[in-house]
Amino acid sequence: NAGVTQTPKFQVLKTGQSMTLQCAQDMNHEYMSWYRQDPGMGLRLIHYSVGAGITDQGEVPNGYNVSRSTTEDFPLRLLSAAPSQTSVYFCASSEFPGQGGTQHFGDGTRLSIL
Amino acid sequence: GNSVTQMEGPVTLSEEAFLTINCTYTATGYPSLFWYVQYPGEGLQLLLKATKADDKGSNKGFEATYRKETTSFHLEKGSVQVSDSAVYFCALSDPQAAGNKLTFGGGTRVLVKP
């Protein structure tokens, strides 16, 4: 059972480049989300989705786009990378509605913007 | 808005010592409370949770009790092992928020020495 799979694990970009962070889950979860983790700040929500075709902004959405065309996949796009986006990115999924429900996290993508 | 505050680390302990990590929260309504653990190089894993006041979550020797009167959810373990070295995150899920969003504390790094 793969759970939540994120690719790539590591990436180095130059300022202004674009890229897509991939996230896939095989648990048929409706709810998926993207977080960024920065030292001393915990995890902050970037975007989330409550089902295919439905996305919404989280706490820190600027500079990121998402789409949800299938239940399984929830890619995160950086259109023009900036050094402030250097971070570790985590994708998570859970059953929905999920009050009290467990979120399942991927192993993360470590992204450096030069 | 919702917020979670946890003690800053790092916390350095000897094996078999007692561990306490303080966590307090601010939320509207009645949130569910969680402790997640992140081992080096990995994503977050649910350690334990509590969904209503006075509930006690427990797992792997760790315990935390949902205290509504003090808005706290402190994590405790009576005898830590080297394998407990990790970063611990306190989090809440607000039933009034759309979806299953988590609000995280800043994380507490715990290092257990033999």
Side-chain angles (χ1 to χ4, degrees):
Chain A
N1 193 355
V4 178
T5 302
Q6 291 184 237
T7 56
K9 293 189 183 303
F10 303 95
Q11 184 70 48
V12 178
L13 294 178
K14 295 181 180 179
T15 298
Q17 287 185 314
S18 63
M19 81 160 295
T20 299
L21 280 62
Q22 302 292 344
C23 175
Q25 53 94 5
D26 62 359
M27 296 172 283
N28 202 33
H29 286 165
E30 292 293 330
Y31 180 80
M32 296 185 74
S33 55
W34 277 101
Y35 295 87
R36 59 178 289 172
Q37 181 182 26
D38 300 295
M41 302 184 73
L43 278 73
R44 293 180 292 168
L45 183 66
I46 304 172
H47 285 286
Y48 67 97
S49 169
V50 298
I54 305 170
T55 64
D56 205 349
Q57 296 181 352
E59 183 183 355
V60 288
N62 292 341
Y64 307 96
N65 281 349
V66 292
S67 60
R68 184 92 179 271
S69 57
T70 67
T71 299
E72 294 78 20
D73 300 302
F74 190 45
L76 178 72
R77 298 183 186 84
L78 283 71
L79 297 180
S80 179
S84 61
Q85 294 177 306
T86 293
S87 187
V88 182
Y89 292 84
F90 288 99
C91 179
S93 74
S94 69
E95 296 175 312
F96 178 80
Q99 168 61 0
T102 300
Q103 291 212 26
H104 300 264
F105 286 83
D107 286 341
T109 294
R110 187 175 296 275
L111 183 62
S112 294
I113 315 296
L114 304 178
Chain B
N2 299 328
S3 67
V4 176
T5 302
Q6 59 182 107
M7 58 190 295
E8 293 187 11
V11 175
T12 303
L13 302 166
S14 297
E15 209 165 19
E16 300 183 0
F18 185 86
L19 171 67
T20 298
I21 304 176
N22 291 337
C23 171
T24 58
Y25 67 90
T26 302
T28 55
Y30 301 94
S32 292
L33 301 174
F34 305 83
W35 277 100
Y36 280 83
V37 59
Q38 183 181 30
Y39 298 105
E42 298 183 9
L44 278 71
Q45 304 173 22
L46 179 69
L47 181 59
L48 53 85
K49 68 179 182 182
T51 58
K52 61 182 187 296
D54 299 325
D55 269 1
K56 177 186 284 187
S58 61
N59 186 26
K60 299 181 180 180
F62 290 89
E63 293 183 342
T65 300
Y66 189 146
R67 301 289 188 196
K68 187 172 183 296
E69 64 275 15
T70 55
T71 61
S72 64
F73 193 55
H74 304 322
L75 183 68
E76 297 181 336
K77 186 174 185 181
S79 178
V80 294
Q81 305 299 314
V82 173
S83 57
D84 294 324
S85 297
V87 181
Y88 294 82
F89 292 93
C90 186
L92 69 82
S93 174
D94 184 349
Q96 297 185 358
N100 191 19
K101 293 183 290 186
L102 288 172
T103 299
F104 286 89
T108 302
R109 183 176 300 277
V110 173
L111 176 62
V112 181
K113 295 184 175 181

